[in-house]
């Protein structure tokens, strides 16, 4: 059974330990070619194509397999090459453990050379082996390497070897592939100015040493969205101090790209700087504009008070690159016939990328995907290559695709494998389904949702019991009945994590059949549910809690408005209405009690688009309206979530999936407190309760919108709520809801976390059996991590979608001037909010081709003085909104000041010469 | 142990084995002439020596004698040089006491002790080199030594360990795999009847997986049996040639 040769490998770890390990060399690894008699059926897993069908190559006309070396593979795998070409990849790495191809490390040979040699031996073995099996086919293995020495040696040994570039160029059938080739050739760098711009990155071994000894710090690099010369590094680990390090200036950023894991060296305190509040974008600079660059850097370093200084440092090495393909647009080079162009990513935190392409003219004005290949020391920009063309810029489909890709939202249609786990239609409830399930079809259950909602995941009922108490039930769609753990459907939903709602489109987490039909608790059909039923007294105190899987038959699906109407109208007295009134009454008591405990009522400007059903263009904008019924449904959902959280934590103290909302550090509130102070109001932030109370008190009779503004600001101070596994953490508190424990139970159709919670609860009440992954806290922690990431991304995608539709809306509207309030004051700009549209925007006071106005920024108040006008936070201004299409890539809403009038800054109002594309030059006034 | 891939995508383990494969086993019986029975076994890099005395009269306190069966006395020790770091291991430390007790339980189940009432059987096991699966190696060595001593047993006792990584059960864990900290199961099996003499498990494992891990360990134990059986037959053949039959 075991045919092996024992090999002893001695390694030294820490200098003292001698480790003896065995290594069994196998003689049963096949070559992977189907029908190979010599190997028998010994191979398994990915096999080679029987007859390699590679595109015709002028270099090697015979049919051949490719054997790329590891470096080539790593760099080219993103090139979206023909998948078939890589059929050999997996198997080419395999024979290295085999008896014939085993290579022992020779004296004085380093690991890299040994690996190179091992690949050569493997290639040779393959060639000889293939000769044996098919003499007439003349199959050949071509070795692809970019290492010059390795290639030379290979040729010496009689192995056909080429560099990647040579091979791809020789492919006569698809010449466009050359564009996609990651450019790594040394030649590329020589052309650029020989001037070294950046200091060298330290090797990994040195970095690790430094991190261990504490000289360097390791962290995640986060470029600033607003200023391309500034970034922060979030230090990993638990150290309270130096959590966030500021990096300023191109040289100190040292080629780090957003999301990279970097090593940072901290500067002495004398060199620390404060985060600048300047907004800077990298615009059309030429490569040799380094001097100008330095000038700009100087601008950042303005004198600031001592305590504003934050730890500052510089990047000295990259521990792990986190590059991915980026969406964006090509900025065509001014030089005709040039093949090198700059690519501007859609994400402003990513630097511009230099790519080489021959199709510049066809790619112009289109959204494309580009991957970074490297960033040499003497180059201002990283080098990359073109990957994919998405479509015309500005088209709704293209833009939606871009924002989904940019936010890493999985949006492909569900695969056949996933769909195969759906129940067969027509579906009906069977005897088996009824096991462990209570029949609640007789109850008068109804659902209340926003208009047009098709994925109804919650329904409610309320009735009076014989003993005078009230029975309240929350019924949640039983999605976990349909999605069984571990199958493809479950894995896909776990990957997606959440349903993403864009303005005109919904990216489902589960296939439509489940989300809009079988799981959706529609009216007058029997649906499976998971019910949480309380017995309450009329004071909304819970006397008994019960969880059960059930079958319900909803009597009505109402909208918030309809439900409100029923409650309000005195003439209606049917079962549903009485039920609703009972719920509403209890909800009010619950809400009051919750707020007394210190739950926050925050506010964020939310907008809704009325979308034209034909063109899908937004035709009107409206901020969301809140009714009593909204808060009624919300109140019971919160109650259900809290009850379930208690139950699952009681049952599974180590692996309950919960949701927490950490209290923000006091420093987060600074801006809010300062802002309130400027209006002579006091905001206390020591506890959630005092914050809630002081927010309630912060009213100004002359300024009714102030309270909302303060609440919006308070929302910005908050931390993100996150999912976590109870065994991995000990702080469970939910700050915003003022609840000691919380989870998500009520929306399993659109959130995966709820599905896990359903499963946990089902086990806890004995309605379902457990499975291994459910009780593994590390697996659960991994799931939480993914869910948190997906939720964040979904939120960003939603915001981006709103922003895009806002643009479309204003495009059709032309120029409007509106009242706005100042939300933040920056060094050279103010951020304003327009209540009517819930729209936020920045008004800049410095423009490229205009004389700079005199700006005085006071950080303490904070205020900005321009010429003679002073701007405070919360000041009311009038701005003009227009669409700026001068930069095709980032079409944006541009705002400019109308009132108060500052000569040379604010726009005069005249109705002539509207040119949407050149808003800066405008000197027109709009009279309303 | 982060970063160490215990099972590759192609299904190979760190040392090149597949999930269900054992390490190379080599064994010899009758290594010492003075003892009643002795054996030496190598399972990969784990090497163990077992010596058996008895059955003989009870040594020490007579009160320990059992009226209806023999007393099995097991002692385990591990050589100072058995691990990567040289370490003195005094007699009677917790680990060797526990191991001695486990061996005793195992062999009380296998030896036909009722044939020798009021007597004692001593089994001494020493591990010369430890590279994972020491319990299994000790049991296998002791089985051979007991056979060598000619003490009647129900069956061979064959032991093997098993672990669980990424949804796959691994048989015969090496030290590297044990150190990774996953669940670990030690099984001593009487292969002919399929009876379990001893089963022990460390760390948590979901019950759904237990069956698979147990089956992997049992299969490995049966493979060990095939090999040990071959060793015993070979030994008997050599012995009978020496005796001149």
């Amino acid at each position: 059974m075991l045919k092996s040769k024992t090999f002893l490998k001695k390694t030294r770890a820490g200098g003292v330990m001698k480790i003896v390990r065995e290594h069994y060399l196998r003689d049963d690894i096949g070559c992977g070619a189907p029908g190979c008699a010599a190997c028998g059926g010994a191979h398994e897993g990915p096999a080679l194509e029987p007859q390699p069908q590679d595109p015709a190559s002028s270099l090697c006309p015979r049919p051949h397999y490719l054997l790329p070396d590891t470096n080539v593979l790593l760099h080219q795998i993103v090139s979206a090459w023909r998948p078939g070409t890589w059929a050999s990849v997996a198997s080419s790495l395999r024979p290295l453990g085999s008896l014939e191809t085993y290579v022992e490390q020779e004296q004085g040979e380093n690991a890299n050379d040994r690996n190179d040699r091992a690949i050569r031996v493997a290639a040779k073995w393959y060639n000889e082996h293939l000769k044996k099996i098919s003499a007439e086919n003349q199959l050949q293995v071509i070795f692809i390497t970019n290492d010059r020495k390795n290639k030379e040696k290979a040729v010496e040994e009689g192995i056909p070897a080429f560099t990647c570039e040579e091979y791809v160029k020789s492919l006569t059938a698809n010449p466009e592939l050359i564009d996609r080739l990651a450019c790594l050739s040394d030649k590329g760098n020589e052309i650029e100015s020989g001037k070294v711009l950046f200091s060298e990155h330290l090797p990994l071994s040195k970095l690790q040493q430094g991190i261990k000894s504490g000289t360097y710090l390791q962290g995640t690099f986060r470029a600033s969205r607003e200023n391309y010369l500034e970034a922060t590094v979030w230090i990993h680990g638990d150290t309270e101090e130096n959590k966030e390090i500021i990096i300023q200036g191109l040289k100190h950023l040292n080629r780090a790209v957003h999301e990279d894991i970097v090593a940072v060296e901290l500067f002495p305190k004398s060199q620390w700087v404060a985060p600048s509040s300047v907004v800077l974008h990298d615009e059309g600079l030429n490569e040799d504009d380094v001097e100008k660059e330095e000038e700009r850097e100087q601008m950042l370093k303005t004198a600031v008070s001592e305590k504003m200084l934050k730890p500052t440092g510089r990047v000295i090495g990259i521990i792990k690159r986190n590059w991915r393909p980026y969406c964006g647009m090509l900025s065509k080079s001014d030089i005709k016939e040039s093949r090198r162009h700059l690519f501007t990513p859609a994400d402003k935190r990513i630097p511009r990328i230099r790519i080489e392409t021959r199709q510049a003219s066809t790619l112009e004005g289109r959204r494309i995907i580009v991957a970074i290949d490297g960033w040499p020391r003497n180059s201002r920009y990283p080098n990359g290559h073109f990957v994919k063309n998405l479509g015309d810029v500005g088209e709704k489909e293209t833009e939606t695709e871009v924002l989904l890709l940019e936010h890493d939202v999985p949006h492909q249609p569900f695969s056949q494998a996933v769909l195969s786990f759906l129940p067969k239609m027509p579906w009906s409830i069977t005897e088996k389904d009824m096991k462990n399930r209570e029949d609640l079809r007789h109850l008068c259950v109804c659902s209340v949702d926003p208009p047009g909602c098709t994925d109804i995941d919650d329904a409610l009922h309320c009735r009076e019991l014989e003993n005078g108490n009230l029975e309240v039930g929350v019924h949640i769609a039983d999605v976990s009945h349909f999605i069984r753990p571990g199958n493809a459907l479950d894995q896909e939903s776990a990957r997606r994590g959440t349903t993403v709602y864009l303005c005109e489109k919904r990216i489902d987490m589960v296939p439509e059949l489940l989300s809009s039909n079988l799981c959706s608790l529609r009216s007058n059909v029997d649906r499976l549910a998971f019910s949480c039923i309380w017995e309450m007294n009329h004071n909304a105190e819970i006397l008994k809690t019960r969880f059960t899987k059930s079958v319900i038959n909803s009597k009505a699906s109402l909208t918030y408005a309809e439900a409100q109407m029923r409650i309000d109208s005195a003439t209606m007295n049917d079962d549903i209405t009485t039920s609703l009134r009972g719920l509403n009454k209890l909800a009010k008591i619950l809400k009051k009690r919750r707020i007394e405990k210190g739950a926050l009522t925050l506010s964020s400007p939310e907008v809704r688009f009325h979308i034209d059903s034909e063109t899908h263009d937004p035709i009107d904008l409206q901020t969301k309206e809140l009714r009593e019924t909204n808060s009624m449904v919300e109140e019971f959902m919160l109650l259900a979530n809290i009850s379930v959280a208690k139950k699952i934590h009681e049952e599974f103290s180590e692996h309950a999936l919960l949701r927490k909302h950490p209290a923000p550090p006091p420093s987060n509130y600074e801006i809010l407190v300062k802002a309130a102070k400027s209006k002579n109001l006091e905001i206390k932030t020591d506890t959630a309760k005092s914050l809630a109370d002081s927010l309630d008190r912060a009213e100004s009779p002359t300024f009714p919108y102030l309270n909302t503004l303060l609440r919006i600001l308070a929302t910005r101070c908050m931390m993100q709520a996150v999912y976590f596994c109870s065994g991995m953490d000990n702080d469970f508190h939910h700050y915003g809801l003022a609840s000691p424990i919380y989870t998500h139970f009520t929306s399993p159709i659109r959130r995966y976390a709820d599905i896990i919670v359903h499963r946990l609860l089902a086990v806890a009440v004995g309605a379902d059996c457990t499975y291994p992954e459910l009780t593994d806290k590390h697996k659960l922690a991994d799931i939480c991590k993914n869910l948190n990431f997906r939720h964040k991304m979904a939120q960003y995608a939603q915001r981006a979608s709103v922003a895009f539709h806002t643009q479309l809306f204003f495009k059709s509207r032309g120029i409007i001037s509106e009242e706005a309030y100042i939300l933040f004051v920056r060094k050279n700009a103010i951020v304003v909010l327009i209540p009517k549209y819930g729209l936020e925007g920045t008004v800049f006071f410095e423009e490229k081709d205009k004389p700079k106005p005199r700006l005085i920024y006071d950080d303490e108040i904070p205020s900005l003085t321009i010429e003679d006008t002073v701007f405070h936070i919360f000041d009311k201004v009038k701005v003009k909104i227009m669409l700026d299409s001068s930069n095709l890539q980032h079409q944006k809403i541009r705002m400019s000041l109308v009132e108060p009038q500052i000569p040379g800054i604010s726009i005069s109002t005249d109705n002539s010469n509207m040119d949407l594309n050149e808003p800066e030059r405008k000197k027109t006034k709009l009279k309303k | 142990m982060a970063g160490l891939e215990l099972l590759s995508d192609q299904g190979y383990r760190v040392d090149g084995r597949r999930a269900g494969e054992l390490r190379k086993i080599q064994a010899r019986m009758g290594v010492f002439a003075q003892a009643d029975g002795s054996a030496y076994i190598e399972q990969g890099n784990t090497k163990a020596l077992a010596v058996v005395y008895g059955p003989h009269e009870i040594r020490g306190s007579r009160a320990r004698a059992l009226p209806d069966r023999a007393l099995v006395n097991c002692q385990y020790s591990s050589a100072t040089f058995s691990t990567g770091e040289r370490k003195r291991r005094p007699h009677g430390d917790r680990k060797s006491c526990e191991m001695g007790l486990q061996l005793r339980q195992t062999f009380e189940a296998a030896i036909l002790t009722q044939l020798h009432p009021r007597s004692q059987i001593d089994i001494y096991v020493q591990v010369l080199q430890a590279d994972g699966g020491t319990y299994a190696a000790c049991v296998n060595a002791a089985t051979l030594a007991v056979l060598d001593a000619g003490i009647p047993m129900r069956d061979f006792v064959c032991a093997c360990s098993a672990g669980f990584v990424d949804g796959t059960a691994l048989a015969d864990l090496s030290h590297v795999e044990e150190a990774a900290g996953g669940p670990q199961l030690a099984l001593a099996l009487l292969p002919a009847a399929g009876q379990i003499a001893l089963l022990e498990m460390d760390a948590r494992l979901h019950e759904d997986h237990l069956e698979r891990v147990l089956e992997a360990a049992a299969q490995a134990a049966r493979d060990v049996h095939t090999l040990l059986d071959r060793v015993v037959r070979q030994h008997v053949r050599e012995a009978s040639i020496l005796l001149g039959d």
Side-chain angles (χ1 to χ4, degrees), chain B residues 186-219:
Chain B
L187 170 78
L189 191 75
L190 304 177
Q195 284 171 320
I196 292 172
L198 185 124
L199 176 66
E200 202 211 7
M201 188 161 79
D202 304 346
R204 283 161 55 111
L205 179 72
H206 195 277
E207 59 170 325
D208 288 9
H209 297 318
L210 181 64
E211 196 130 332
R212 276 159 62 207
V213 181
L214 199 57
E215 182 45 40
Q219 182 54 46

Side-chain angles (χ1 to χ4, degrees), chain A residues 2 22 24 26 771-772 775, chain B residues 15-16 21 23-24 44 206 209:
Chain A
L2 186 92
E22 292 173 290
Y24 291 88
R26 313 194 61 97
Y771 60 100
T775 53
Chain B
D15 51 10
E21 287 175 348
R23 290 174 289 175
K24 190 180 179 74
H206 195 277
H209 297 318

Side-chain angles (χ1 to χ4, degrees), chain A residues 1-2 4 6 8 16-26 28-29 42 44 90 94 654-655 770-773 775-776, chain B residues 4 10 12 14-18 20-25 43-45 83-85 129 131 174 176 204 206-209 223:
Chain A
M1 189 196 84
L2 186 92
S4 69
T6 313
L8 299 180
V16 260
M17 283 281 277
K18 179 167 144 195
I19 295 164
V20 184
R21 268 188 210 165
E22 292 173 290
H23 192 119
Y24 291 88
L25 297 181
R26 313 194 61 97
D28 61 347
I29 299 178
E44 53 197 57
R94 283 201 300 165
E654 280 293 294
H655 42 259
T770 169
Y771 60 100
E773 282 73 28
T775 53
D776 184 331
Chain B
L4 189 67
Q10 284 84 27
Y12 296 112
V14 182
D15 51 10
R17 286 186 287 160
R18 279 185 209 278
E21 287 175 348
L22 296 174
R23 290 174 289 175
K24 190 180 179 74
I25 291 184
Q43 286 187 256
N45 276 327
T83 49
E85 212 170 347
Q129 191 171 324
D131 185 30
S174 70
V176 187
R204 283 161 55 111
H206 195 277
E207 59 170 325
D208 288 9
H209 297 318
D223 293 340

